[in-house]
Amino acid sequence: MTDLKPKTAPGAATGPDVKHMKWWGWGVEGVAFHHEDKPNFAPFVKKMVGVDLWADAVTGAPSFDDLDIPASHLTEPVASALATIVGEGNVVSGDLERVVHTYGKSIRDLFRIRGGVFPRVPDVVVYPATESEVAKIVAAAVEHDLVLIPFGGGSNIAGSLEPMAQEQRTVVSLDMGRLDRVLDIDEDAGLARIQAGAQGPDIEEQLNAKGWTLGHFPDSFTHSTLGGWVATRSSGMQSDKFGDIADITRGLRVVRPEGVVVLRPLPSTSTGPSLREMILGSEGRLGIITEVTAQVHRIPEKREILAYFFPTWEAGLRAMQAIAESDATPSVTRVSNSFETEMSLATSKESKGISALLNQGVQKFMQLKGWDLSKICLSFIGYEGSSEHVDRNEKLVSKIVKKHGGFGVGKGPGVLYDQKKFDTPYLRDFFMDHGGAADVSETAAPWSKLLPLYNEVYAAAGRAFEKIGVQGLLMAHLSHSYHSGACLYFTFAFEHGDDALGQYDVVKKAIQDAFIQEGGTLSHHHGVGLEHAPWLADDVSAAGAGLVQTLFDATDSQRIFNPGKVTGH
Amino acid sequence: MTDLKPKTAPGAATGPDVKHMKWWGWGVEGVAFHHEDKPNFAPFVKKMVGVDLWADAVTGAPSFDDLDIPASHLTEPVASALATIVGEGNVVSGDLERVVHTYGKSIRDLFRIRGGVFPRVPDVVVYPATESEVAKIVAAAVEHDLVLIPFGGGSNIAGSLEPMAQEQRTVVSLDMGRLDRVLDIDEDAGLARIQAGAQGPDIEEQLNAKGWTLGHFPDSFTHSTLGGWVATRSSGMQSDKFGDIADITRGLRVVRPEGVVVLRPLPSTSTGPSLREMILGSEGRLGIITEVTAQVHRIPEKREILAYFFPTWEAGLRAMQAIAESDATPSVTRVSNSFETEMSLATSKESKGISALLNQGVQKFMQLKGWDLSKICLSFIGYEGSSEHVDRNEKLVSKIVKKHGGFGVGKGPGVLYDQKKFDTPYLRDFFMDHGGAADVSETAAPWSKLLPLYNEVYAAAGRAFEKIGVQGLLMAHLSHSYHSGACLYFTFAFEHGDDALGQYDVVKKAIQDAFIQEGGTLSHHHGVGLEHAPWLADDVSAAGAGLVQTLFDATDSQRIFNPGKVTGH
């Protein structure tokens, strides 16, 4: 990461003091990826996708002035109704604010932003500060026939934030950023009441100050919110210990036209169908989530991430399965395939991290063991708890790793991984600057289906790359383990031609189709939105997708709440 | 337990070979509770509720001939349509079959059966053998405007099985008993496809034969089905290790008019709102569950249940909480309050079990420690896994128990508890024979709220007992632990007067109101049905209950699927 000159749009946002990412890309203004101190990176990219990073960037951040932003449809009565509720300073209809709230950060979003493609932009951004204000906004939406799209950190990559292109009504982006507080920690029960608009770092800072952690660390952590995690059924890197957000979420408050749905925090209940699990993953279609009561944990005495190498992907995968079946209870189980391992080595600085670790001695050791160095797979296993618990688990895992032909290489790389784990999205913007297209697709499937699924995804992506005439790169890792299966996370990249999004669609579709065909879900933790809606019926059957649509239609006949998302209708 | 002469109705059931409980009470014909070999039991009952068990039974099993069963409304076209689907022998409209399928086994059900109160009896019982037959029955229900009530083992105690009293249409009880097979075990993923009508023992027998277990053991285990567990969000005694049925259930097949909802087995997914968790707890209102793909586990190398004593209820409760917060991962955490402990001691035979264990030596030890013997609380903690895992966990728990003032008394009582754990419901029938009324209410709440809730339940039940003029007994135990809270299970008993159910209603309402008032849920694992429907809006808020009602109305506008359950409408 390096500091760059801000490429911000002319004129700062006029809204309240709520953090937003760059309007044109991931993360904080002035921070970007650079490769000059990573000598192996440019050769890796050249070899894998044919892009020359030493050549000048072919594109870069666009100039806001060049954009042609459709005018806001906001009418005076609506503006005035909203201002009465939240105050004039919290109703913003300037172009920059509206563009910031048009998209998330998927490759489709970024290409459209860079290309100035805005079929529909929200007409206004509103910043409520209380649940009562949210309730009044919902009432105003009923009265004035508005569309409400809740907006958290804007990190969504499933198309859950954009207005439907054909929407004729006034579209309000409901920015939850002012609802950012941890309201209360029940230290006896390990439960914290947290406002939906609180971003990851805000939450951890407020909890850590009292000795607690939420333990939810998705890749988007630094720029995503609790409400967004709930709305999209997010999962964090330490889910093996802390659970997915669906497990972490115990209580909820959701504003609807007829009142607030209040789900009190309960460890378990037989009151079904589960409203908690209806709101989870609802992406704004069932109402506005204002507050979550979440399980929290005392900050552990000890926390370590150890690195291991395996001779092959299959060995690594089987080791993760064996760990899931064992008495060991690690917090993180992750193994990268050989391509992603090579990428990890290539993104390390010479003097530090994995690449320093994979020195002559280690390489010689691998060769002595008969390993093919082009096939080695890097794994990270995390441990949290009492010192004794961590030590015991490291021993249990060490035995399993050995049994599967792997070996441990200590703490060094894990520390580095831990520090840099949220930086990957910056890399995509950098790659785009050089004519590259990259995105991710992840799934979950039973252990028995993971290898066939993995193989079919590679075959399908290979055919797709060939079809669009590119040298594509596909990398994968296993990132979350469960009793009966795991999440596989794929990253694909290629040098795009004129129709970048058309090419992306071919590759994305090939991968998603392979997920479904091989028994995986459409997404493990990125949600459905518009991007994955075409696979909804494949995932939950036509009758199941029909049930979801009926639920949305019946509970929101006026189509106020983020219409179109999840089901596409 | 002892074998008694069968009190069966004249004429055996004419339906297929599907196991049913006694038509008038719990369990198998010919098995009943008796107290003659438990010398402390009658004095305990006399002291606690004033009932003299040595007096002759005041009631007993009713005579089927004395019952006035409303005639079946089954018409020839419907009978013939159903017979075409499942075959004539699987369409039964005899009185005995219809009575067996009218109620579950709640106190309300048993008093009504014994009193010959049948406001509405199903008109016919149908036994499909395949999902395709279920689909045809659903189509017939649409065509002929029938009501379908799925029936598993008939153990429900929340009123989920009975037809609504005012129902004018033909009511079909859909007995799933012929769908009783484990279809497939995916030994790589630890997933088993099991038909919804399979009862607990059938499932374990089929799984055990291949080295696997489902690990789901509710009190009703011997007479309840997988489909019933899913439909009511059941929880088993070993949920601390295996999870509630909501965790165990990974895939589902549910027949609806527009097709089969097929949820493929997935370890996790971000496809929301969760259809899996909508079907869980839906009590037949969203369709007919035909198949469940469930997590299964290899039969553990070692399994032990150890007994412990605590000086007070609060000490026991805090110890369970400390265990839940610790690195220990037991399979069962259970502690009884002093009343239930006294009851456990009183139901032991002199020569065996807890009462033999609480011998002079142990009592002296307790007295030396300054314990008040009237306040001691018995606890069972279960352990499963590798021998090393069990030993380690026993040590971890032992430390926590000591820290909370308790001590262990070994394996003996646990073995006995394990053998007899499914027998308790027989005791209620026996108690009813002697003029007693008894039932249960259970809840779950955050750890911070458990003691205040417990105290308020005692206060409320005390006021209720006073109001109805009885000497009531209330007992409690903690039965399932979670990160943020636990389940408290209350049993109440009293000698009833002429209006037994009126008296029951007063006590039941007092306890349920206290649950809600103190932050507990309406039921932890018994479901909602009709019995708990009055507390639905209190539990999930009016807006939440409205959402559930809207879901049911919109997805079943013809009101075919078990109308009235969960919401009361």
Side-chain angles (χ1 to χ4, degrees):
Chain A
M1 297 301 112
T2 188
D3 287 343
L4 295 178
K5 279 186 197 135
K7 295 180 182 176
T8 190
T14 52
D17 186 23
V18 167
K19 288 166 287 189
H20 291 124
M21 284 190 272
K22 297 167 185 163
W23 64 271
W24 56 275
W26 184 267
V28 180
E29 286 287 356
V31 177
F33 176 84
H34 65 130
H35 74 103
E36 291 77 2
D37 56 349
K38 304 169 193 91
N40 295 320
F41 187 70
F44 172 80
V45 172
K46 180 72 186 155
K47 179 179 81 172
M48 290 300 191
V49 291
V51 170
D52 181 4
L53 296 181
W54 292 107
D56 286 342
V58 293
T59 66
S63 160
F64 195 80
D65 287 339
D66 294 345
L67 300 180
D68 188 15
I69 318 288
S72 169
H73 301 171
L74 184 67
T75 61
E76 201 287 317
V78 172
S80 144
L82 294 173
T84 306
I85 298 165
V86 295
E88 254 181 47
N90 296 306
V91 179
V92 189
S93 56
D95 285 351
L96 176 58
E97 285 277 316
R98 290 169 54 231
V99 164
V100 163
H101 290 81
T102 300
Y103 293 128
K105 300 297 181 193
S106 74
I107 189 173
R108 190 185 305 283
D109 298 334
L110 299 185
F111 271 113
R112 284 184 295 181
I113 286 203
R114 289 183 176 218
V117 178
F118 297 100
R120 188 70 171 89
V121 172
D123 300 300
V124 61
V125 182
V126 180
Y127 294 88
T130 64
E131 181 181 276
S132 146
E133 289 183 2
V134 173
K136 286 174 189 161
I137 294 168
V138 168
V142 171
E143 187 187 338
H144 297 278
D145 201 20
L146 313 175
V147 169
L148 297 181
I149 303 180
F151 188 97
S155 68
N156 183 280
I157 57 168
S160 309
L161 299 173
E162 68 191 82
M164 298 303 275
Q166 72 281 16
E167 185 57 70
Q168 298 297 313
R169 298 172 292 164
T170 302
V171 176
V172 179
S173 180
L174 198 59
D175 191 308
M176 303 298 285
R178 292 170 72 204
L179 288 149
D180 63 351
R181 277 172 309 134
V182 174
L183 298 172
D184 176 59
I185 305 175
D186 177 344
E187 306 215 24
D188 193 0
L191 288 166
R193 280 176 55 217
I194 307 172
Q195 292 183 306
Q199 297 195 357
D202 299 332
I203 295 170
E204 285 298 322
E205 194 182 308
Q206 293 176 72
L207 290 176
N208 292 175
K210 298 197 170 170
W212 295 85
T213 179
L214 187 67
H216 188 74
F217 301 102
D219 289 356
S220 63
F221 173 78
T222 46
H223 299 285
S224 54
T225 63
L226 178 53
W229 301 335
V230 170
T232 57
R233 293 184 69 93
S234 166
S235 183
M237 296 176 191
Q238 278 137 260
S239 68
D240 286 18
K241 175 180 169 65
F242 296 101
D244 296 332
I245 202 72
D247 307 302
I248 293 168
T249 300
R250 304 316 317 168
L252 282 169
R253 295 183 66 96
V254 184
V255 174
R256 290 187 42 80
E258 65 273 22
V260 181
V261 177
V262 182
L263 303 178
R264 299 165 309 151
L266 295 168
S268 181
T269 175
S270 61
T271 306
S274 168
L275 285 161
R276 193 178 59 81
E277 290 255 10
M278 264 191 246
I279 304 302
L280 279 152
S282 59
E283 302 192 10
R285 293 210 62 169
L286 294 175
I288 310 297
I289 301 165
T290 54
E291 189 182 306
V292 180
T293 303
Q295 286 185 183
V296 292
H297 295 251
R298 285 184 203 284
I299 292 172
E301 179 188 331
K302 193 171 177 181
R303 182 167 179 275
E304 276 185 0
I305 297 183
L306 301 191
Y308 306 84
F309 278 112
F310 289 96
T312 63
W313 169 242
E314 184 166 356
L317 210 61
R318 289 296 172 206
M320 298 307 115
Q321 179 173 6
I323 291 168
E325 280 173 11
S326 76
D327 292 331
T329 52
S331 57
V332 178
T333 47
R334 181 188 171 102
V335 58
S336 294
N337 75 354
S338 60
F339 300 107
E340 200 173 275
T341 298
E342 197 176 339
M343 160 98 168
S344 287
L345 295 169
T347 46
S348 298
K349 296 183 190 175
E350 276 274 283
S351 54
K352 287 191 198 174
I354 327 280
S355 79
L357 183 138
L358 193 64
N359 53 31
Q360 291 300 323
V362 172
Q363 291 195 24
K364 217 155 227 162
F365 179 66
M366 288 176 173
Q367 279 161 336
L368 275 174
K369 286 169 77 84
W371 291 18
D372 176 346
L373 288 183
S374 74
K375 291 195 173 154
I376 58 170
C377 292
L378 175 64
S379 166
F380 289 112
I381 315 276
Y383 308 88
E384 297 191 24
S386 67
S387 205
E388 189 264 346
H389 176 81
V390 168
D391 293 349
R392 173 186 150 80
N393 273 275
E394 288 180 4
K395 271 182 204 138
L396 287 172
V397 167
S398 175
K399 269 188 207 161
I400 295 170
V401 168
K402 260 186 207 149
K403 202 175 157 193
H404 289 79
F407 63 92
V409 287
K411 285 191 279 194
V415 170
L416 215 69
Y417 163 76
D418 212 25
Q419 288 165 357
K420 298 178 66 176
K421 62 193 174 203
F422 301 126
D423 291 344
T424 320
Y426 286 99
L427 182 51
R428 188 179 51 184
D429 288 349
F430 169 81
F431 189 53
M432 283 180 77
D433 292 347
H434 291 81
D439 211 331
V440 294
S441 261
E442 28 72 76
T443 189
W447 290 111
S448 53
K449 296 180 176 172
L450 286 184
L451 255 184
L453 182 148
Y454 172 87
N455 290 331
E456 179 53 30
V457 169
Y458 261 85
R463 290 190 297 267
F465 289 142
E466 202 181 317
K467 187 172 170 188
I468 61 172
V470 300
Q471 180 198 356
L473 167 64
L474 181 68
M475 307 184 291
H477 64 265
L478 176 150
S479 60
H480 307 254
S481 295
Y482 302 87
H483 171 75
S484 61
C487 165
L488 288 187
Y489 194 108
F490 295 88
T491 304
F492 53 93
F494 57 89
E495 183 174 22
H496 66 78
D498 290 342
D499 182 16
L501 284 180
Q503 293 181 309
Y504 158 78
D505 282 339
V506 172
V507 180
K508 175 77 176 175
K509 181 170 180 349
I511 293 173
Q512 292 290 133
D513 284 349
F515 287 172
I516 294 292
Q517 181 190 315
E518 300 297 325
T521 183
L522 55 75
S523 166
H524 168 265
H525 58 268
H526 289 155
V528 187
L530 295 177
E531 195 68 17
H532 298 134
W535 289 274
L536 182 66
D538 291 332
D539 196 350
V540 302
S541 73
L547 270 186
V548 175
Q549 185 67 57
T550 302
L551 171 69
F552 291 157
D553 290 346
T555 57
D556 182 27
S557 55
Q558 206 179 331
R559 294 181 67 76
I560 286 170
F561 294 116
N562 207 6
K565 309 307 154 55
V566 181
T567 58
H569 299 286
Chain B
M1 297 298 112
T2 187
D3 288 343
L4 293 179
K5 280 185 198 134
K7 294 180 184 177
T8 189
T14 54
D17 185 24
V18 167
K19 289 167 286 189
H20 291 124
M21 282 192 273
K22 297 166 185 164
W23 64 270
W24 56 274
W26 184 267
V28 180
E29 286 289 355
V31 177
F33 177 85
H34 65 129
H35 74 102
E36 290 78 1
D37 57 348
K38 304 169 192 88
N40 294 321
F41 188 69
F44 172 79
V45 172
K46 180 74 186 154
K47 179 178 84 174
M48 290 301 192
V49 290
V51 170
D52 180 3
L53 295 181
W54 292 106
D56 287 341
V58 294
T59 66
S63 160
F64 194 79
D65 288 337
D66 295 344
L67 299 180
D68 189 14
I69 318 290
S72 168
H73 300 173
L74 184 65
T75 60
E76 201 288 318
V78 172
S80 145
L82 294 172
T84 306
I85 298 165
V86 295
E88 255 183 44
N90 296 306
V91 180
V92 190
S93 56
D95 285 352
L96 177 57
E97 286 276 316
R98 289 168 55 229
V99 164
V100 163
H101 290 81
T102 300
Y103 293 128
K105 300 296 182 193
S106 74
I107 190 172
R108 189 184 305 283
D109 298 335
L110 298 186
F111 270 113
R112 285 184 295 180
I113 285 202
R114 289 182 176 218
V117 178
F118 296 101
R120 188 70 170 89
V121 172
D123 299 300
V124 60
V125 182
V126 180
Y127 294 89
T130 63
E131 182 181 275
S132 147
E133 289 182 2
V134 172
K136 287 174 187 162
I137 294 168
V138 168
V142 172
E143 186 187 338
H144 296 279
D145 202 18
L146 314 176
V147 169
L148 297 181
I149 303 181
F151 188 97
S155 68
N156 184 279
I157 58 169
S160 309
L161 299 173
E162 69 191 82
M164 299 302 275
Q166 72 282 14
E167 185 57 68
Q168 299 296 313
R169 297 171 293 165
T170 301
V171 175
V172 179
S173 180
L174 198 60
D175 191 308
M176 303 297 284
R178 293 170 71 205
L179 288 149
D180 63 351
R181 278 173 307 134
V182 174
L183 298 173
D184 176 59
I185 306 174
D186 177 344
E187 306 215 24
D188 192 1
L191 288 167
R193 280 176 55 216
I194 306 173
Q195 291 184 305
Q199 297 197 357
D202 299 332
I203 294 169
E204 284 299 322
E205 194 181 307
Q206 293 176 73
L207 290 176
N208 290 175
K210 298 197 170 170
W212 294 85
T213 179
L214 188 68
H216 187 74
F217 301 102
D219 289 357
S220 63
F221 172 78
T222 46
H223 299 285
S224 52
T225 63
L226 178 53
W229 300 336
V230 170
T232 58
R233 292 184 69 94
S234 167
S235 184
M237 297 176 188
Q238 279 137 258
S239 68
D240 286 17
K241 173 179 170 65
F242 296 101
D244 296 331
I245 202 71
D247 306 302
I248 294 169
T249 300
R250 303 316 317 166
L252 280 170
R253 295 183 67 96
V254 184
V255 174
R256 289 188 42 81
E258 64 274 19
V260 182
V261 176
V262 182
L263 303 177
R264 298 165 311 151
L266 295 168
S268 181
T269 174
S270 61
T271 306
S274 168
L275 285 161
R276 194 178 58 83
E277 291 255 10
M278 264 191 243
I279 303 301
L280 278 154
S282 59
E283 303 192 9
R285 293 209 63 169
L286 294 176
I288 311 298
I289 300 165
T290 54
E291 189 183 307
V292 179
T293 303
Q295 286 185 182
V296 292
H297 295 251
R298 286 184 202 284
I299 293 172
E301 179 188 331
K302 193 170 175 181
R303 182 167 180 276
E304 277 185 358
I305 298 183
L306 300 191
Y308 305 84
F309 278 112
F310 289 96
T312 63
W313 168 242
E314 185 166 356
L317 211 60
R318 288 296 172 205
M320 298 307 114
Q321 180 174 4
I323 292 168
E325 280 173 12
S326 75
D327 292 331
T329 51
S331 56
V332 178
T333 48
R334 180 188 172 102
V335 59
S336 294
N337 75 353
S338 60
F339 301 107
E340 199 173 276
T341 299
E342 197 176 339
M343 161 98 166
S344 287
L345 295 169
T347 44
S348 298
K349 295 183 188 176
E350 276 274 283
S351 53
K352 289 192 197 173
I354 327 281
S355 79
L357 184 139
L358 195 64
N359 54 30
Q360 291 300 323
V362 172
Q363 290 196 24
K364 217 154 227 163
F365 180 66
M366 288 176 172
Q367 279 161 337
L368 275 174
K369 285 170 77 85
W371 290 18
D372 176 346
L373 288 183
S374 75
K375 291 194 173 155
I376 58 170
C377 291
L378 176 64
S379 166
F380 290 112
I381 314 277
Y383 308 88
E384 298 190 25
S386 68
S387 206
E388 190 264 346
H389 175 81
V390 168
D391 293 349
R392 172 185 150 81
N393 274 276
E394 288 181 4
K395 271 182 206 138
L396 287 171
V397 167
S398 176
K399 268 189 208 160
I400 295 170
V401 168
K402 261 186 209 149
K403 201 175 158 192
H404 289 79
F407 62 92
V409 287
K411 284 190 279 191
V415 171
L416 215 69
Y417 163 76
D418 211 25
Q419 288 165 357
K420 298 177 65 176
K421 63 192 174 204
F422 301 126
D423 291 345
T424 320
Y426 286 99
L427 182 52
R428 189 179 49 185
D429 288 348
F430 169 81
F431 188 55
M432 283 180 77
D433 292 347
H434 290 83
D439 212 330
V440 294
S441 263
E442 27 73 73
T443 188
W447 289 111
S448 53
K449 296 181 176 174
L450 286 183
L451 255 184
L453 181 149
Y454 172 88
N455 290 332
E456 179 53 29
V457 169
Y458 261 86
R463 291 190 297 268
F465 289 142
E466 201 180 318
K467 187 172 170 190
I468 61 172
V470 301
Q471 179 197 355
L473 167 63
L474 181 68
M475 308 184 290
H477 64 265
L478 175 151
S479 60
H480 307 254
S481 294
Y482 303 87
H483 171 76
S484 62
C487 165
L488 288 187
Y489 195 108
F490 294 88
T491 304
F492 54 93
F494 57 89
E495 184 174 22
H496 66 79
D498 290 341
D499 182 17
L501 285 180
Q503 292 181 308
Y504 158 78
D505 281 340
V506 172
V507 180
K508 174 76 176 176
K509 181 172 181 344
I511 293 173
Q512 292 290 133
D513 285 349
F515 287 172
I516 295 293
Q517 181 190 315
E518 298 298 324
T521 182
L522 55 76
S523 167
H524 168 265
H525 57 270
H526 289 154
V528 188
L530 295 176
E531 196 68 20
H532 299 134
W535 288 274
L536 182 67
D538 290 333
D539 196 350
V540 302
S541 76
L547 270 187
V548 175
Q549 185 68 58
T550 302
L551 171 68
F552 291 157
D553 291 346
T555 56
D556 181 27
S557 55
Q558 206 178 332
R559 293 180 68 75
I560 286 170
F561 293 116
N562 208 6
K565 309 307 153 55
V566 180
T567 58
H569 298 286

